[in-house]
């Protein structure tokens, strides 16, 4: 007959391994610390105004009452209805900030924009355009708002944002949400700056992320979702099951021999 103590030890070992791999419900809920029966206000810091960098791609349009002049200023308008649907079209239809920190516009010439916010760049283009046009209306937008989501998400990759603002939750949503192996309490945001890369560590299950300076993302930010500690166990469940079965068989054989 099998040794009862050996059976108990084997059962306890298997049970502990299974419990260690279990994911608790509280690990899956975003901002679970928000009170369910009350309304709370959070002081969410607004994102810093992004300053244009070299190689950024800008959407720039200069409008005037003269249709002929307008067509010369914006020759690509009306050429296609889907002109911004691909990465290549952005560079073809947009204006790339060159290594000198300027954009070159039809009829207007070179305008320095590097280091400026979008609002400041708009004023710089308008100031240059008014030297040639009396009724110029200028629109400037950032086309190259790229961000990266890596780690335990369902669709990791590089994404493009066409809104003025983007939260870390929206970025993760665009990447297909966090996978079953993702740790919502360990999310890292890496933000490049002139002095180096700034890192922020976020706990998405905690309401305090709403007050983090990394809640709103900036262009070129990278979001990394770390795996849960039990991922290795879950990935090796088959191997562990085989090992336990082997151990169980060996115990049975040893007890039978004895």
């Amino acid at each position: 007959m099998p040794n009862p103590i050996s059976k108990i030890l084997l059962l306890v070992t298997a049970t502990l391994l299974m419990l260690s791999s279990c994911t608790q419900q509280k690990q899956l809920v975003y901002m679970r610390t928000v009170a369910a029966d009350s309304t709370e206000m959070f002081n969410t810091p607004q994102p810093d105004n992004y300053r244009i960098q070299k190689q950024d791609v800008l959407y720039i349009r200069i409008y005037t009452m003269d249709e002929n002049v307008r067509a010369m200023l914006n020759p690509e308008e009306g050429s296609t209805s889907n002109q911004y649907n691909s990465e290549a079209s952005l560079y073809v239809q947009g204006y790339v900030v060159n290594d000198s920190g300027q954009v070159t516009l039809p009829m207007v010439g070179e305008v320095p924009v590097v280091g400026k916010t979008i609002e400041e760049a708009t004023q710089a283009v308008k100031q240059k355009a008014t030297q040639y046009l009396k009724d110029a209306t200028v629109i400037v937008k950032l086309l190259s708002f790229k961000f990266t989501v890596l780690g335990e998400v369902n669709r990791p990759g590089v994404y493009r944002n066409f809104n003025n603002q983007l939260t870390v939750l929206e970025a993760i949503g665009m990447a297909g949400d966090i996978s079953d192996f993702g740790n919502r309490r360990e999310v890292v945001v890496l933000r490049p700056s002139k002095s180096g890369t700034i890192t922020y560590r976020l706990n998405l299950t905690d309401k305090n992320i709403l007050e983090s300076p990394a809640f709103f993302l900036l262009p070129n930010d990278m979001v990394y979702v770390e795996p849960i500690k039990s991922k290795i166990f879950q990935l090796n469940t088959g191997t562990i099951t085989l090992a336990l079965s082997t151990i169980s068989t060996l115990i049975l054989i040893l007890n039978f021999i004895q």
Side-chain angles (χ1 to χ4, degrees):
M1 293 293 292
N3 188 337
I5 297 179
S6 299
K7 292 179 65 177
I8 292 174
L9 289 175
L10 184 63
L11 180 60
V12 170
T13 301
T15 302
L16 290 175
L17 286 172
M18 290 178 64
L19 290 176
S20 67
S21 66
C22 292
T23 300
Q24 299 179 5
Q25 190 265 352
K26 65 181 182 180
Q27 296 177 264
L28 304 176
V29 180
Y30 292 101
M31 293 184 291
R32 64 181 178 82
T33 56
V34 174
D37 56 351
S38 64
T39 300
E40 299 182 65
M41 298 295 292
F42 295 92
N43 185 24
T44 303
Q46 292 300 306
D48 296 331
N49 286 325
Y50 176 73
R51 296 194 174 273
I52 298 170
Q53 303 177 18
K54 296 176 182 178
Q55 302 306 313
D56 276 349
V57 183
L58 303 179
Y59 171 96
I60 301 177
R61 294 295 176 270
I62 303 175
Y63 297 102
T64 179
M65 297 297 293
D66 191 319
E67 292 294 334
N68 293 327
V69 175
R70 174 175 173 174
M72 295 177 64
L73 291 170
N74 311 295
E76 69 286 347
E77 279 196 355
S79 59
T80 173
S81 59
N82 299 313
Q83 55 185 343
Y84 296 108
N85 279 357
S86 68
E87 183 86 12
S89 64
L90 291 175
Y91 285 88
V92 172
Q93 306 294 346
Y95 292 92
V96 180
V97 181
N98 60 31
D99 291 337
S100 299
Q102 300 175 327
V103 289
T104 303
L105 305 175
M107 296 181 63
V108 176
E110 293 185 337
V111 182
V113 294
V114 75
K116 291 182 170 59
T117 65
I118 296 300
E119 290 75 14
E120 292 170 348
T122 302
Q123 292 302 317
V125 174
K126 185 172 183 178
Q127 184 177 0
K128 188 68 178 290
T130 52
Q131 297 179 10
Y132 310 95
L133 306 168
K134 293 182 179 180
D135 56 350
T137 300
V138 176
I139 298 176
V140 178
K141 296 181 180 180
L142 179 67
L143 290 177
S144 55
F145 190 149
K146 295 191 297 183
F147 63 95
T148 305
V149 185
L150 298 176
E152 295 300 329
V153 292
N154 291 307
R155 294 192 302 272
V158 179
Y159 292 86
R160 189 177 298 279
N161 173 52
F162 291 101
N163 295 322
N164 291 331
Q165 296 181 345
L166 178 73
T167 68
V168 64
L169 295 177
E170 290 172 326
I172 291 174
M174 293 174 68
D177 203 0
I178 296 176
S179 70
D180 294 338
F181 294 134
N183 190 345
R184 288 165 174 78
R185 294 180 294 183
E186 296 292 344
V187 176
V188 180
V189 175
L190 293 89
R191 175 166 297 166
S193 68
K194 291 183 178 179
S195 57
T197 300
I198 305 172
T199 60
Y200 302 91
R201 189 168 289 272
L202 305 179
N203 179 357
L204 300 187
T205 67
D206 190 339
K207 63 185 179 182
N208 290 327
I209 65 165
L210 296 174
E211 298 181 342
S212 170
F215 182 70
F216 283 102
L217 298 184
L218 294 177
N220 304 312
D221 276 1
M222 177 181 293
V223 180
Y224 172 67
V225 181
E226 295 186 1
I228 55 177
K229 293 181 179 179
S230 60
K231 178 181 179 180
I232 298 300
F233 177 86
Q234 295 185 40
L235 291 176
N236 293 283
T237 300
T239 303
I240 295 173
T241 301
L242 178 61
L244 291 175
S245 299
T246 303
I247 294 172
S248 178
T249 303
L250 289 174
I251 292 175
L252 290 172
I253 292 173
L254 292 174
N255 279 281
F256 179 77
I257 294 174
Q258 293 175 359

